[in-house]
Amino acid sequence: MKTLVINTAFLGDVIFTLPLLENLGRAGHAVHLVTRPRFGALAAGTPGLQALWTYDKRGVDAGPAGLWALGRRLRAERFDLVLGAHPSWRTGLLAAAVGAPRRLGWGPLGYTRRVRRGPRFVEDALALGEAAGVPMPVRRPRVRARAAHPAVPPGALAFVPGARWATKRWPAPRWRALVGAARAAGHPIVAVGGADEAHWAEGWGADLEAFGLSLPATAGLLAACAAVVGGDSGLAHLARAVGTPTVMLFGPTPAAAHPPDPGRVDRWVAGLSCRPCSAHGPRRCPLGHHACLDRLAPNHVMGGLQAATDRGSCGR
């Protein structure tokens, strides 16, 4: 069966879709994926994935004309099944343009069947495959790092200070305090992030700064580290996908929405009635105080690091 999966959301969303792709491939499907340009190389190593299609929805493929042109190219492939792993109207319209006889997705339009999302990420993507009658035994995202980063010092901790939404970022003074505690414990520090996030690590004096690397190179770097600390962000999810013990800092978003993962230690401020307040993170704190991350103490995070490294990684 020739199957198209569409996910043009953010990095974490694409990572959470990888088990669906792998399960489809194991079941004998010829799997194609539509995703944003910079995520294609990361998904390319997924078992069973036969072809990648890029949809630059904010660039060369922007607007109705770009969507329709991609839909026409995909229609020529004569897919048997389309799975829309994103609830956006664009995904639904693209699924409809492909014209496959079976189209399953989360959104309200463009599909022959709408599938209800589950309470956790990964599980909601797997529900699409299950609705199509495909067994879904693989349940943890896995990214195979092609090569370890040669410059990572032994025992290094990777700190990921950035996140797309400001409400998911731990405050800069807290990061600097954690850097000091980690150095005192003898750990080299690696600062990791996107090309526009280097300012979040100003004053750290990190042993290695890795901002703006390609995603495959970042995966290799994270795989070479002893542990990773980051907020609810795509790079922190990538760290778990390559098998590195990770401390996740949850502010406005719920840890329970993420798949159970024995290699991850979660940290948040207990006793706040206002959190969690958002599934994905609001642009700004609805109450104006951002206490969910402002009050998260560095020693609490350092304790999580010890727990994560003692527990070891899952699947290494």
Side-chain angles (χ1 to χ4, degrees), residues 105-106 114-118 123-124 127-128:
W106 299 330
R114 186 176 184 180
V115 178
R116 185 176 180 179
R117 297 187 71 171
E123 292 176 3
D124 52 10
L128 294 171

Side-chain angles (χ1 to χ4, degrees), residues 221-247:
L221 182 147
L222 294 171
C225 291
V228 175
V229 180
D232 180 8
S233 67
L235 291 185
H237 298 307
L238 178 59
R240 286 307 311 132
V242 299
T244 303
T246 302
V247 180

Side-chain angles (χ1 to χ4, degrees), residues 238-286:
L238 178 59
R240 286 307 311 132
V242 299
T244 303
T246 302
V247 180
M248 296 281 293
L249 312 181
F250 286 94
T253 57
H258 297 267
D261 186 345
R264 191 184 78 221
V265 174
D266 298 335
R267 285 291 185 260
W268 64 82
V269 177
L272 281 180
S273 60
C274 59
R275 78 152 308 273
C277 67
S278 170
H280 298 282
R283 292 183 180 274
R284 56 184 59 85
C285 174

Side-chain angles (χ1 to χ4, degrees), residues 89-264:
W89 61 267
R90 281 193 189 93
T91 301
L93 289 177
L94 183 58
V98 173
R102 296 178 70 202
R103 304 185 302 276
L104 284 63
W106 299 330
L109 76 160
Y111 302 106
T112 58
R113 178 181 172 188
R114 186 176 184 180
V115 178
R116 185 176 180 179
R117 297 187 71 171
R120 289 195 179 109
F121 304 123
V122 176
E123 292 176 3
D124 52 10
L126 297 180
L128 294 171
E130 291 165 352
V134 181
M136 293 282 126
V138 177
R139 309 193 73 81
R140 188 172 74 82
R142 296 184 288 195
V143 170
R144 289 160 178 80
R146 297 175 191 173
H149 196 289
V152 175
L157 303 178
F159 290 172
V160 184
R164 182 171 183 83
W165 308 125
T167 54
K168 296 201 285 188
R169 299 180 199 134
W170 203 31
R174 297 284 194 265
W175 278 113
R176 287 193 290 269
L178 184 66
V179 168
R183 285 194 179 285
H187 292 285
I189 303 300
V190 178
V192 187
D196 59 346
E197 295 176 338
H199 65 281
W200 286 100
E202 288 180 359
W204 287 13
D207 299 89
L208 175 65
E209 290 193 358
F211 292 96
L213 300 181
S214 69
L215 285 175
T218 302
L221 182 147
L222 294 171
C225 291
V228 175
V229 180
D232 180 8
S233 67
L235 291 185
H237 298 307
L238 178 59
R240 286 307 311 132
V242 299
T244 303
T246 302
V247 180
M248 296 281 293
L249 312 181
F250 286 94
T253 57
H258 297 267
D261 186 345
R264 191 184 78 221

Side-chain angles (χ1 to χ4, degrees), residues 281-303:
R283 292 183 180 274
R284 56 184 59 85
C285 174
L287 300 179
H289 53 59
H290 202 213
C292 59
L293 282 176
D294 282 353
R295 297 181 188 175
L296 183 58
N299 62 344
H300 189 45
V301 177
M302 197 67 195

